[in-house]
Amino acid sequence: MAKRKKEYERFRADTGQHHRILAVMALLGILAFIPVGLQLNSLMIQNYDYYSGLALRNQTRTTSVTADRGTIYDRNMNILAASVSVENVYLDPHELKQSKAGITAISETLGEILELDPEWIRQQAGDTSMRYKQIAGRISEETAGKIRSYINENGISGIHLEPNSRRVYPCGTLAAQVIGFTNASNTGSEGIEAAYNSYLEGSAGKVITTKGNNEMDMPYSFEKYVASRPGCDVILTLDTTVQACLEKQMEAAIARYDVKNGAFGIVMNVNTGEIIAMATLGSYDPNNYLEIADPAALAETERLKERYLSYPEDSQAYQDGKTAYLEALSAARLKQWRNRCLSDGYEPGSTFKVLTMAAALDCGAIDLNTSFYCKGAEQIPGRSQLLHCWRSAGHGAERTPQALQNSCNIAFAHIALKLGGERFYEYVEKFGILEKTGIDLAGESKGVFFSRELVTDTDKWGTASLTSGSFGQTFKLTPLQLVRAIASVVNGGYLMEPYIVSEVVDSDGNTVLRQEPTVIRQVISAETSQTMCGLIRSVVTEGTAKNASVAGYSIGGKTGTSEKIDIFDENGQRVQDKIVSFVGIAPMDDPEYIVLVALDTPSRSTGIYISGGVMAAPTVGAVMADILPYLGVARNYSGEEAAGRLVTMGDLTGLTAKEAEKLLKEQSLTLRTVGTGETITGQIPAAGEEISGGSQVLVYLGEEPPRETVTVPDFTGMNRQQAGDTASQAGVYILVAGNPNISPSVTVTAQSVPPGETVPAGTTIRLEFADTKAAD
C-alpha cells in the first residue's frame, strides 16, 4: 500500500513537471511567434503596398513608350516644330554574354557606325549588373538601318533598337526665340515649347512584361500595354512670311549700319493684339540649340577653352580657367535664347512722346493750338540740369502738331508740366507701362519706371523725372509694352492683351484652347485716338520720319534715339552707345498693323548719322513695303508717288505704237520707239518684268531688241536726279523707295542689286532713299 502511494506521488510529480514544461514551452512558443507575427503584420497589412510593389518590380519589366509631341504651326498651318521618328541603341549585357557574341568585334563595328569610342562600348557591354545600357540616342533612320543590317547579317542578340522621336525645326533660325526648343529629355525649354509644354508633350505609354532569373524573358509571359497619348498641336498667330520679311530687313539694317548688339522687332495687329511676327537678332538654330551662333561669342569661348586646356589638369589655373569657360559658354547660350521683345527693358526715347501727347490731349491739358517755343535749350524751374533739344539751334515757335513732327524735347517738357506729375503717372499706369502685358510666353518682365512719389513730388526730383520721362528717358520698358501702349493710341483707345497662340487642338481634332482678343481697358477716348492718328501720320509726311514713307500707303509713326545711361566701360565711363528705333503704323486711315524695329548700337565707323530717323525709319518702311501687299492692304497711289509705283509689264507684242502708248499711259508709263515697222516685235523691259511708274518703255517696231547685259552701277549717295541719270546711262530702271522728297540731302542708302553685278538690260533696281541728316 505504501509502495503504491509512493508510485502515485512520483507519477503526480512527473505529471506536474510535464505540465510545467509544456506551459513553459507554450509560453516560449508564443513569445517566439510574436516577432514573426509582427513581421507578418508589417509585410502583409501595414506595408502591403510597398512590398507588393517591390515584388511586382522583381517579377515584371516596364518599358516606356514615348508619346508623340504635338506639332507647332503658324497661322497658315506651316510647320514650325515637329517630331520625327528616330531610334535609340541599347545593349543587353546578359544576352550578349549568353549568346557568346564577340564583344570586341561588336564594339569595333558599333563604334565605327555610331562614331563612338569602341573601348567605351566594350565596357558597357561587359556590365552585366544591368540589362539596359543605352549607347546612343535619337540616331537617324539611315544609321539605324546600318545597325539593323549588321544584327541580321551576323545573327547577333543583345543589340536592340527602340523607337524614339527627335524635335526638328524646318525654318531653322526663323522666330527661334519665340518657338524655343526641347532639351535632351524632349521637354520644352524655351519659348512656345516651354510655355505650352503641358499641352505639347502628351503622356507616355508603357509595356509591362514578366521576367525570370537574370531578368530573362519568360517563355509564357504576361504582357500589358498602356497606350501613349499624343500631345496637342499648337497653332500660332505668327505668320512665317511676315516673320521672314521682318528678319530680312533687320538683318539688312544690321549689315548696313554695322550694328554691334543685334536688333529686335515686333509686328502686331493693333485691333486684336495678335503677334504676327516677333524677332530677336542675333539668333540661333533650335535644331542645334547648344551651338553658339554669334561668331564673336564663339571665338571668345574657344579662346577660353584653349587657354585652360593649356594648363595641367591638377593645377588651380586649370580649374579657374575651366570655370571661366563654362560661365562664358552658359552666358552666350542664355543670351542667344533670350527673347528681348518681352524680357529686356530699354529706354524708348522719343517713341514714348506718342503716349505723352495722347495723355495730354485726352485730359485737356493741351489742344492742337497750344503753342511752344524752342530755342535749343532751356532751364526748367525745378530741374538742376539745363534741358537740351536734339536740335541745338532750336525749332522756334511751334504748335502741338509741330512739337510731335519735330520731336521737340523742349515742347514735350512743357507738355508734361501742363499734364502734371499725378495725371502723367495715372496715364502711364493706364497704358500698361507698370505691368506685364500678359502675353502667353514665359520670361516676360515689366521694365523699370519711376515711383509715383518721384514723379509727383517736385521737392524730390519730381520735375526732372517728369520732364525726362515725357520724352522717354531715364526709365525702361519692354518693346512689347511700348507696342501695346502705342497700339491703344491708334485703335480707338483700347489696351489689348497681346497673344501668340490662337488655338490648341488635340490629336482627334478637338479644340482644347482657343484665344480671343481681350480688351484690358479703355485708356483714351475714340476722339483723342482719331486726333492722334492724324498727328502720327504727319510725322512721316512732314516730320522726322519721312524715311519711312512707302508709295501707295499711308504710314504713320514715331522715331526714337536713346542712350544707354546705365552702361559703363571698363574704365567706369558711361558708354556712348545708342539704340535707334521706329514704331510704324499702317494704314493710318484705318490702322491695322504696328511695326517696331530697334537697332542696338549702330557703329560710328560707317559715317552715317546715328538716329532713329536715318536708320530705323527706313528699315520699318522696307518691312511695310514687303508685308502690306501680302497682308492684303490695298495701295492708293497719289500723283506724286508715280516713281514708287510698281508696274508689271504686259506683253506689247503685236500692238501698234499708238495702241501701246495709250495702254502705257494708263499705267503712268511713257513710250519710245525704235524702227519703222507697223507693229511691236520686241520690248524692254520684257513682259512680266516690274518697272516703276513714270518710267519709259522701249519698244521695237519690225526688229528684235538686242540681247545685252549691263553692269549695275553704285547708286550709293546719289540724289533722285543723279540716280535717274545714272540708271538711264547704264540701261537699267530704278524703283524709288523710302523718302519721297527730292532734296540734296535725300540720297540712296541701299540698292536691291549689288554694284558691279551683271544683269539683263532693262532690269529694275530698287533704291532706298533716305534723308541722312534726319535726326531723333
Side-chain angles (χ1 to χ4, degrees):
M1 190 73 175
K3 184 178 180 181
R4 289 183 178 178
K5 186 176 181 181
K6 286 181 180 182
E7 289 178 353
Y8 176 72
E9 288 176 353
R10 190 183 305 118
F11 172 77
R12 287 187 61 189
D14 291 343
T15 302
Q17 186 175 7
H18 288 158
H19 287 164
R20 286 193 295 273
I21 291 171
L22 289 174
V24 169
M25 292 178 63
L27 179 61
L28 291 175
I30 292 171
L31 291 175
F33 183 75
I34 288 174
V36 176
L38 292 174
Q39 182 68 16
L40 289 173
N41 178 71
S42 174
L43 291 172
M44 303 181 65
I45 299 175
Q46 292 182 347
N47 297 306
Y48 172 79
D49 291 340
Y50 171 74
Y51 288 108
S52 64
L54 283 180
L56 187 63
R57 283 195 293 274
N58 286 331
Q59 299 166 20
T60 61
R61 178 189 296 124
T62 301
T63 304
S64 178
V65 179
T66 305
D68 291 332
R69 191 172 178 86
T71 301
I72 300 175
Y73 298 94
D74 83 339
R75 67 189 303 122
N76 299 312
M77 301 307 290
N78 296 308
I79 295 176
L80 297 174
S83 296
V84 296
S85 295
V86 291
E87 296 188 68
N88 295 337
V89 184
Y90 74 92
L91 305 178
D92 184 334
H94 279 280
E95 277 191 75
L96 289 172
K97 183 179 180 180
Q98 292 182 7
S99 66
K100 299 180 181 180
I103 302 298
T104 301
I106 288 174
S107 301
E108 293 285 346
T109 303
L110 291 180
E112 182 179 350
I113 296 174
L114 298 171
E115 298 181 356
L116 295 173
D117 180 12
E119 176 59 25
W120 178 80
I121 296 176
R122 190 189 64 77
Q123 292 173 2
Q124 305 308 304
D127 183 7
T128 55
S129 65
M130 297 183 68
R131 295 297 306 270
Y132 182 97
K133 300 288 288 189
Q134 181 172 313
I135 60 171
R138 298 180 182 179
I139 64 173
S140 67
E141 289 295 322
E142 181 183 358
T143 303
K146 292 179 180 179
I147 294 176
R148 195 170 281 110
S149 297
Y150 174 65
I151 293 171
N152 295 333
E153 289 171 4
N154 295 275
I156 298 172
S157 62
I159 304 174
H160 299 278
L161 295 166
E162 63 178 356
N164 199 348
S165 64
R166 178 169 59 87
R167 204 67 165 161
V168 295
Y169 303 90
C171 296
T173 61
L174 191 75
Q177 288 82 6
V178 173
I179 300 166
F181 57 85
T182 58
N183 59 23
S185 301
N186 210 28
T187 302
S189 291
E190 294 287 339
I192 294 293
E193 292 278 30
Y196 283 82
N197 185 67
S198 61
Y199 290 101
L200 287 163
E201 66 180 352
S203 45
K206 55 187 176 181
V207 178
I208 304 172
T209 56
T210 52
K211 61 184 179 181
N213 290 338
N214 296 321
E215 298 194 351
M216 296 295 288
D217 288 331
M218 298 176 68
Y220 303 98
S221 64
F222 160 83
E223 180 173 290
K224 181 179 180 181
Y225 177 75
V226 179
S228 62
R229 180 173 58 83
C232 297
D233 295 335
V234 174
I235 303 168
L236 307 186
T237 60
L238 213 69
D239 188 306
T240 51
T241 299
V242 176
Q243 182 78 25
C245 292
L246 176 64
E247 293 191 17
K248 178 189 72 174
Q249 297 300 344
M250 287 168 60
E251 287 169 354
I254 288 173
R256 186 180 307 139
Y257 308 120
D258 191 21
V259 178
K260 299 300 184 183
N261 294 324
F264 48 87
I266 299 172
V267 180
M268 189 180 87
N269 186 310
V270 301
N271 299 307
T272 65
E274 293 172 285
I275 301 298
I276 311 299
M278 180 180 281
T280 299
L281 301 180
S283 193
Y284 70 99
D285 186 348
N287 291 295
N288 302 291
Y289 63 90
L290 293 177
E291 294 182 4
I292 306 302
D294 178 39
L298 178 60
E300 176 61 14
T301 55
E302 289 299 318
R303 184 188 69 80
L304 291 172
K305 183 178 182 180
E306 290 175 4
R307 183 179 178 183
Y308 90 76
L309 288 175
S310 66
Y311 298 114
E313 284 192 33
D314 57 352
S315 67
Q316 187 62 43
Y318 177 92
Q319 296 300 326
D320 293 343
K322 185 176 181 180
T323 300
Y325 161 71
L326 293 175
E327 288 177 351
L329 184 65
S330 176
R333 286 171 176 168
L334 291 173
K335 182 180 179 181
Q336 69 182 16
W337 299 340
R338 191 173 181 85
N339 187 342
R340 297 182 66 182
C341 293
L342 54 91
S343 296
D344 287 4
Y346 79 111
E347 287 196 13
S350 293
T351 55
F352 194 81
K353 290 173 180 174
V354 171
L355 305 183
T356 302
M357 181 165 283
L361 285 170
D362 191 62
C363 70
I366 62 170
D367 58 32
L368 294 180
N369 293 315
T370 302
S371 59
F372 309 93
Y373 189 85
C374 172
K375 54 185 179 182
E378 184 178 337
Q379 185 64 60
I380 303 290
R383 182 184 171 104
S384 59
Q385 293 181 323
L386 188 67
L387 178 61
H388 293 273
C389 190
W390 64 266
R391 185 175 183 180
S392 58
H395 294 104
E398 52 190 349
R399 295 188 184 276
T400 298
Q402 290 74 47
L404 189 63
Q405 293 163 12
N406 297 330
S407 196
C408 178
N409 289 350
I410 302 296
F412 271 86
H414 284 283
I415 290 173
L417 292 172
K418 291 177 183 292
L419 182 60
E422 194 66 43
R423 287 192 298 191
F424 177 73
Y425 196 86
E426 287 175 0
Y427 272 97
V428 164
E429 199 168 24
K430 288 181 180 179
F431 279 122
I433 304 304
L434 307 182
E435 64 192 28
K436 295 180 180 181
T437 67
I439 190 171
D440 47 333
L441 282 172
E444 183 183 15
S445 66
K446 61 177 181 179
V448 179
F449 200 76
F450 316 112
S451 66
R452 182 184 292 271
E453 292 73 23
L454 195 59
V455 178
T456 57
D457 190 345
T458 56
D459 295 329
K460 293 183 179 180
W461 303 100
T463 299
S465 299
L466 176 61
T467 52
S468 296
S470 71
F471 44 81
Q473 292 185 7
T474 65
F475 69 89
K476 291 184 176 183
L477 45 66
T478 66
L480 187 58
Q481 283 181 304
L482 180 68
V483 165
R484 177 174 78 148
I486 294 180
S488 73
V489 173
V490 300
N491 70 3
Y494 299 101
L495 189 72
M496 306 300 296
E497 182 176 88
Y499 64 99
I500 201 162
V501 170
S502 61
E503 192 175 6
V504 177
V505 181
D506 67 17
S507 57
D508 296 322
N510 302 310
T511 298
V512 176
L513 173 70
R514 187 188 300 276
Q515 304 253 53
E516 300 289 348
T518 302
V519 177
I520 303 300
R521 55 183 164 267
Q522 184 158 10
V523 183
I524 60 175
S525 67
E527 293 76 17
T528 302
S529 177
Q530 187 173 8
T531 299
M532 284 301 302
C533 284
L535 294 173
I536 291 170
R537 169 64 174 148
S538 72
V539 177
V540 175
T541 57
E542 304 174 52
T544 60
K546 293 176 183 176
N547 290 339
S549 300
V550 179
Y553 291 112
S554 58
I555 308 293
K558 186 69 192 74
T559 53
T561 306
S562 59
E563 298 177 350
K564 298 183 178 181
I565 62 172
D566 58 344
I567 305 296
F568 299 87
D569 62 20
E570 62 274 10
N571 300 315
Q573 299 297 312
R574 183 176 291 159
V575 300
Q576 299 299 310
D577 297 347
K578 295 181 178 180
I579 294 180
V580 298
S581 61
F582 181 73
V583 179
I585 301 106
M588 287 311 302
D589 51 350
D590 185 15
E592 289 186 65
Y593 302 103
I594 183 169
V595 180
L596 164 69
V597 168
L599 309 174
D600 189 348
T601 315
S603 174
R604 299 177 185 276
S605 63
T606 63
I608 302 173
Y609 183 73
I610 297 176
S611 77
V614 172
M615 297 174 170
T619 303
V620 171
V623 173
M624 292 286 197
D626 284 344
I627 71 173
L628 293 179
Y630 166 77
L631 292 171
V633 180
R635 286 183 184 264
N636 184 20
Y637 293 99
S638 66
E640 300 172 349
E641 294 177 324
R645 180 179 183 181
L646 197 61
V647 179
T648 302
M649 282 298 303
D651 188 357
L652 304 178
T653 306
L655 300 179
T656 65
K658 194 170 183 179
E659 290 171 338
E661 184 176 26
K662 180 181 178 181
L663 184 63
L664 293 175
K665 187 176 181 180
E666 294 173 356
Q667 299 175 310
S668 302
L669 300 173
T670 59
L671 180 72
R672 182 162 71 91
T673 62
V674 175
T676 58
E678 292 186 2
T679 59
I680 296 172
T681 53
Q683 65 187 73
I684 296 177
E689 294 290 326
E690 293 180 326
I691 188 173
S692 62
S695 298
Q696 187 179 71
V697 178
L698 187 62
V699 298
Y700 292 82
L701 300 171
E703 55 186 87
E704 291 295 321
R707 299 182 181 278
E708 59 178 322
T709 57
V710 297
T711 302
V712 176
D714 186 353
F715 293 98
T716 306
M718 296 182 183
N719 60 33
R720 282 273 290 276
Q721 183 64 49
Q722 293 168 333
D725 292 343
T726 302
S728 180
Q729 294 171 6
V732 295
Y733 291 93
I734 61 171
L735 175 66
V736 175
N739 196 318
N741 288 6
I742 299 177
S743 165
S745 64
V746 178
T747 58
V748 177
T749 59
Q751 58 190 84
S752 60
V753 182
E757 191 166 310
T758 301
V759 297
T763 297
T764 299
I765 313 295
R766 177 190 170 104
L767 302 181
E768 292 283 347
F769 284 85
D771 184 348
T772 54
K773 296 182 180 179
D776 197 42

